[in-house]
Amino acid sequence: MDIIVAENSIQQQDAFQVRTLVFVDEQKVPADLEIDELENESIHFVGYEGDIPGAAARMRLVDGYAKMERICILKEFRGKHYGNKLMWGMEEEAKKRGIQKAKLNAQTHAIPFYERLGYTVVSDAFMDAGIPHKTMIKQL
């Protein structure tokens, strides 16, 4: 899978399609919470296997952090370490922009995945879109 920064509206729509399939269709997050008012200030990432979009995320630069958000892989692409590739691609883009630390709000079931990538939990659990999360950070 090739991870790219979305540079045009087609690539951005591919990212939104993956996010909608995972968060809205699979996890039942309300559509108006998934695609929100922060999209225009975000850097969007999409992962392609050939020409098929199968991974997506967005990153915002907030308070000196690269805030990693909306990280997802389509069901049929899971178990292939594409999540690692997506996170590494986002972290590399953050470093290119001079950002040395990352933050994300992880669904609690995904915490072990992020811990393996060097993220540390820094908050108690909280609910977001009806799903329990914890904030995690990492020095890049």
Side-chain angles (χ1 to χ4, degrees):
M1 179 167 281
D2 295 317
I3 307 298
I4 65 163
V5 173
E7 295 180 351
N8 59 50
S9 61
I10 292 169
Q11 293 167 345
Q12 187 169 337
Q13 283 307 121
D14 285 346
F16 290 166
Q17 175 188 1
V18 172
R19 287 172 43 191
T20 298
L21 288 168
V22 172
F23 294 120
V24 178
D25 296 352
E26 184 181 334
Q27 297 185 1
K28 307 304 181 203
V29 171
D32 62 328
L33 294 180
E34 173 46 35
I35 306 299
D36 65 17
E37 70 281 356
L38 302 174
E39 304 302 345
N40 289 335
E41 67 186 58
S42 300
I43 301 157
H44 296 277
F45 296 81
V46 62
Y48 291 96
E49 190 172 89
D51 60 353
I52 308 293
R58 75 178 188 193
M59 180 175 71
R60 294 184 303 123
L61 308 179
V62 180
D63 299 327
Y65 283 90
K67 188 149 189 299
M68 314 301 199
E69 301 175 323
R70 307 301 204 270
I71 301 156
C72 59
I73 309 291
L74 289 180
K75 264 187 189 176
E76 56 268 32
F77 294 107
R78 293 178 195 157
K80 299 180 178 185
H81 304 288
Y82 292 160
N84 293 342
K85 289 187 83 168
L86 180 58
M87 291 302 298
W88 294 331
M90 295 173 73
E91 290 171 358
E92 285 304 309
E93 185 65 25
K95 287 190 267 188
K96 283 183 198 172
R97 293 168 184 261
I99 304 297
Q100 295 301 314
K101 52 191 179 176
K103 177 188 275 189
L104 56 84
N105 293 330
Q107 293 182 9
T108 54
H109 72 86
I111 287 172
F113 165 75
Y114 294 113
E115 287 176 332
R116 285 191 298 275
L117 292 172
Y119 288 80
T120 303
V121 172
V122 295
S123 79
D124 292 329
F126 59 93
M127 297 300 283
D128 186 5
I131 300 168
H133 288 71
K134 290 186 180 182
T135 300
M136 303 182 79
I137 60 170
K138 176 182 178 178
Q139 281 298 125
L140 303 175

